[in-house]
Amino acid sequence: MAGYYVGVISGTSLDAADIVLLHATGDDHRPKLAATHSQPPPAALRQRLLEITQTRPPIDIRELGQLDRQVADWMADGVLALLAETGIAPGRIRATGSHGQTLYHDPQPPHPFTLQIGDPSRLAARTGITTVADFRRADMAAGGQGAPMACGFHQAMLACPDRQRAVINIGGIANLTCLPAGATPEDSRLTGFDTGPGNALMDAWIARHQNRDQDTNGEWAETGRVHNGLLSALQADPYIQATAPKSTGREYFHLGWLDRRLAEVPAIAPADVQRTLLEFTARSISNAVAACPGHTDEVLLCGGGAHNGRLRERLSALLTPAHVMLTDDAGVPADWMEAAAFAWLAMRTLAGLPGNVPSVTGASRAVVLGGIYAPDGLANRQLSAD
């Protein structure tokens, strides 16, 4: 469906809502990135969301409802800012694909569920744009993990006819897409899963010890040494050892999880812990790539962690002879990959096309993802008019 689509996502780092404008021309399957915008959250909102996702304090229903609206307003502010920067009127946008903010993701039986907030009706009303949201639960209703969600987009934008690629998104959690040469969306060889922590543990550890949001370029980690005992304890975790399909989040990999592993080994200098966490991320990713069927020729990195120079160095060393590069080198900016994926998923939903990849999530079938929320509440009327 030709036209403009907006994609919105806030990841586990909660540093900003990433917002993109995609333009689909209708004559190919690769929409073009037309504009981008980063919208930081209000400081108090970010702090509370971090507390909820990291330490799991009690939260009552009233506060949950208020946070749902506040997240929607934060994201609406970002969408409106993007449109103001581009001069494109809301009426020219076919849809916004909003991932929202994940508060909890638990795909395990007997009662798997996932919870993202950011009221899509509020987002639609504030922006005047039809909003597609709540993407994950349709896949989970079909028996899937509900994550990772971007693998189909990775295939559409980055599959290569003559080389096997692996796409690694390094956000708070890292995820992998294995792209066999010539893979199509219906290709059962297309696989992927959450590999484990990306930036989440490194960010949390440096926040505790240095009151900083992140270890820029791995500079603090560079001052430490890998502690093999701690690294072995981290790698022995049941999630890391489990086979796909699998997905995870901060509700699993958080400071409490790390503290329990630290209790199993002698006292370690904080910088050595940071260096070990970087090595843990690098090895869990490289081991996941090694599990891709066939020989991987190229590894494409995206997400905030792709800019960590020390982490890239370790991945290049561990993944040799595969060539490690940013997705920028293949035509999709690394910083905007995930937001673009949700704009693409919104386009698929409006077209009545499935957005999940059953061979990735473990769903029983391909399904159309998300609910459609029009500004006037008349989603079906708007779609039929189109």
Side-chain angles (χ1 to χ4, degrees):
M1 297 174 68
Y4 286 105
Y5 297 83
V6 171
V8 184
I9 184 171
S10 169
T12 50
S13 64
L14 275 160
D15 54 348
D18 294 334
I19 305 168
V20 304
L21 181 66
L22 280 193
H23 185 220
T25 61
D27 57 1
D28 59 46
H29 297 291
R30 297 191 176 188
K32 305 300 188 293
L33 192 66
T36 63
H37 178 78
S38 181
Q39 184 76 15
L45 176 62
R46 180 178 190 268
Q47 181 59 37
R48 183 54 176 157
L49 291 172
L50 283 173
E51 289 172 357
I52 292 168
T53 56
Q54 292 183 16
T55 63
R56 303 295 168 202
I59 177 172
D60 64 31
I61 292 175
R62 183 172 183 269
E63 184 184 11
L64 180 61
Q66 292 173 339
L67 290 171
D68 189 38
R69 183 183 176 98
Q70 290 175 58
V71 169
D73 282 336
W74 160 36
M75 294 182 173
D77 288 343
V79 172
L80 292 172
L82 173 73
L83 297 184
E85 291 165 5
T86 61
I88 295 177
R92 295 184 62 192
I93 310 299
R94 290 191 59 86
T96 293
S98 175
H99 173 268
Q101 180 65 55
T102 297
L103 287 191
Y104 207 95
H105 179 72
D106 183 5
Q108 301 306 315
H111 304 295
F113 78 99
T114 189
L115 176 62
Q116 288 75 40
I117 62 172
D119 180 2
S121 293
R122 176 71 176 170
L123 181 55
R126 283 279 318 277
T127 61
I129 302 169
T130 294
T131 297
V132 185
D134 196 18
F135 288 94
R136 297 185 183 275
R137 291 202 291 183
D139 179 81
M140 295 186 79
Q145 293 271 316
M149 284 277 98
C151 296
F153 181 67
H154 294 163
Q155 184 281 326
M157 300 297 288
L158 298 171
C160 185
D162 57 359
R163 293 187 300 281
Q164 176 161 310
R165 287 174 162 174
V167 182
I168 303 290
N169 175 62
I170 311 175
I173 299 297
N175 57 68
L176 160 75
T177 305
C178 301
L179 295 175
T184 64
E186 296 77 24
D187 196 327
S188 62
R189 297 176 301 157
L190 186 63
T191 58
F193 54 90
D194 289 346
T195 64
N199 306 316
L201 294 177
M202 290 186 285
D203 289 351
W205 188 252
I206 198 170
R208 172 186 282 182
H209 288 274
Q210 298 190 4
N211 198 30
R212 293 163 55 192
D213 290 338
Q214 63 179 7
D215 185 10
T216 303
N217 215 33
E219 293 173 356
W220 188 36
E222 185 69 22
T223 68
R225 301 176 63 182
V226 173
H227 187 283
N228 290 324
L230 176 60
L231 181 61
S232 295
L234 301 177
Q235 290 181 305
D237 181 80
Y239 180 86
I240 300 298
Q241 298 301 318
T243 57
K246 61 179 181 176
S247 58
T248 190
R250 280 189 187 268
E251 62 281 339
Y252 189 98
F253 291 106
H254 50 75
L255 278 177
W257 177 91
L258 176 59
D259 287 339
R260 290 192 294 272
R261 274 70 191 171
L262 286 169
E264 300 172 5
V265 296
I268 306 172
D272 291 347
V273 174
Q274 187 74 355
R275 176 65 185 86
T276 305
L277 291 174
L278 185 146
E279 187 71 12
F280 175 46
T281 290
R283 294 205 185 190
S284 58
I285 289 172
S286 62
N287 289 340
V289 173
C292 288
H295 171 73
T296 299
D297 302 294
E298 296 176 341
V299 177
L300 281 61
L301 306 180
C302 58
H307 300 296
N308 184 324
R310 181 56 181 167
L311 180 58
R312 284 205 314 273
E313 288 175 5
R314 288 301 299 139
L315 287 171
S316 293
L318 292 166
L319 291 166
T320 300
H323 177 50
V324 176
M325 57 186 181
L326 297 180
T327 56
D328 300 61
D329 300 319
V332 184
D335 289 334
W336 306 105
M337 176 70 75
E338 297 299 284
F342 282 90
W344 180 83
L345 285 170
M347 180 175 67
R348 301 277 296 182
T349 298
L350 290 194
L353 298 172
N356 67 329
V357 181
S359 59
V360 169
T361 66
S364 61
R365 61 192 183 279
V367 294
V368 178
L369 301 178
I372 301 170
Y373 304 79
D376 58 4
L378 300 176
N380 291 335
R381 180 182 298 179
Q382 177 166 338
L383 288 176
S384 62
D386 290 341

